[in-house]
Amino acid sequence: MIYHTLEEVIEDPMFARADLALRRGRHIGPDYDTALFDFLSSTSKLMERFYSYFSVALLQGSEGYFYLLPDRLAVPPPLGLRKLSVMEMLTGQTLALMRLDHKWLETNHRIPDLAIFGLMEQLLGEQGLIRLAGRRRGKDLGQDARKLREAFAMALRTLERLGFVRREGRGELGVVVPLSAVMRFADPVRGAEELELALGRLIAEGQIKEDDDEADPDT
């Protein structure tokens, strides 16, 4: 469908669905929300003008997904502002790295929860992971491990809600499918000669810049 005016866009029932999803911080890409993605692809120029009235930019990532980015100079932000937690950022960065790994092509990028957590521990070490998760090692190592896994599970739920991943199953049998939008977590090192190496180093060094637009994929 071809849209000529913003009024035509707003009158389409798809507008309300797309607008609500975007305002909730969801990333809409070609590999999951196909109907909403097609709608935004057809209306992006007009929708950009609509969101500019709210001091919010409708952006399209390198992999094609759409998302909203608020103007941080607007006080208060008209549509609100929320930052991802360090664990959410770390999990997203790890999934972006794993999406680049060719070995997961054999599984159609279906990555077990345990493999994701295992790579995070490998890159950061248990102490580093606990520290970045905002915890301190206590006397009860079992409780520390349990709390860390709970934070990881919560991070996966958030990433799913925001359109970065699709999940199948839960717990030890859980599988995550990183969607195209998860590559937004690689933006801080995009352009590096070896993106995979640069992203792995970013994670290992715990370089999570919470004041960076590209390190804050929520609205």
Side-chain angles (χ1 to χ4, degrees):
M1 184 173 178
I2 300 176
Y3 301 84
H4 300 285
T5 66
L6 184 56
E7 288 73 20
E8 290 176 349
V9 173
I10 294 175
E11 288 174 358
D12 191 311
M14 291 294 292
F15 168 80
R17 288 181 54 194
D19 180 54
L20 184 59
L22 289 168
R23 287 175 187 250
R24 287 176 172 173
R26 189 164 184 83
H27 293 61
I28 299 174
D31 47 2
Y32 193 53
D33 297 318
T34 53
L36 292 183
F37 176 77
D38 290 342
F39 173 74
L40 288 173
S41 296
S42 300
T43 64
S44 59
K45 295 301 180 185
L46 293 168
M47 292 281 275
E48 286 172 10
R49 179 157 61 90
F50 172 78
Y51 287 113
S52 70
Y53 301 146
F54 299 93
S55 298
V56 173
L58 175 65
L59 302 179
Q60 188 169 18
S62 301
E63 287 74 22
Y65 56 88
F66 291 94
Y67 64 99
L68 293 182
L69 186 67
D71 181 355
R72 295 182 177 244
L73 297 181
V75 181
L79 299 185
L81 183 63
R82 176 190 180 277
K83 289 187 176 183
L84 296 183
S85 71
V86 172
M87 178 59 85
E88 290 162 355
M89 284 293 306
L90 178 61
T91 304
Q93 289 177 337
T94 303
L95 281 163
L97 178 62
M98 299 180 87
R99 195 173 194 271
L100 292 170
D101 190 336
H102 294 295
K103 78 176 183 181
W104 295 111
L105 289 175
E106 300 175 2
T107 66
N108 293 318
H109 286 120
R110 297 176 74 254
I111 306 174
D113 289 12
L114 293 178
I116 302 165
F117 191 82
L119 180 58
M120 290 164 60
E121 281 192 319
Q122 177 184 328
L123 291 171
L124 286 156
E126 185 180 19
Q127 288 286 355
L129 189 55
I130 289 175
R131 177 179 57 81
L132 286 181
R135 299 188 57 79
R136 294 182 178 179
R137 177 180 288 279
K139 295 181 180 180
D140 189 335
L141 300 183
Q143 183 178 14
D144 289 341
R146 185 170 61 254
K147 292 293 185 182
L148 198 55
R149 291 300 181 97
E150 289 174 357
F152 172 66
M154 187 177 300
L156 286 180
R157 289 195 294 271
T158 298
L159 295 181
E160 181 181 32
R161 177 175 57 82
L162 297 177
F164 291 115
V165 304
R166 186 174 75 249
R167 299 180 69 200
E168 302 172 6
R170 296 292 186 270
E172 293 187 359
L173 300 179
V175 171
V176 174
V177 180
L179 304 175
S180 58
V182 82
M183 295 308 297
R184 188 177 173 198
F185 289 97
D187 283 347
V189 291
R190 196 181 291 276
E193 187 172 338
E194 292 288 346
L195 179 58
E196 191 171 351
L197 292 175
L199 185 54
R201 188 163 52 250
L202 184 76
I203 298 168
E205 294 175 357
Q207 294 182 22
I208 299 173
K209 302 176 183 178
E210 295 186 77
D211 59 346
D212 190 310
D213 285 347
E214 297 302 340
D216 181 23
D218 204 349
T219 62

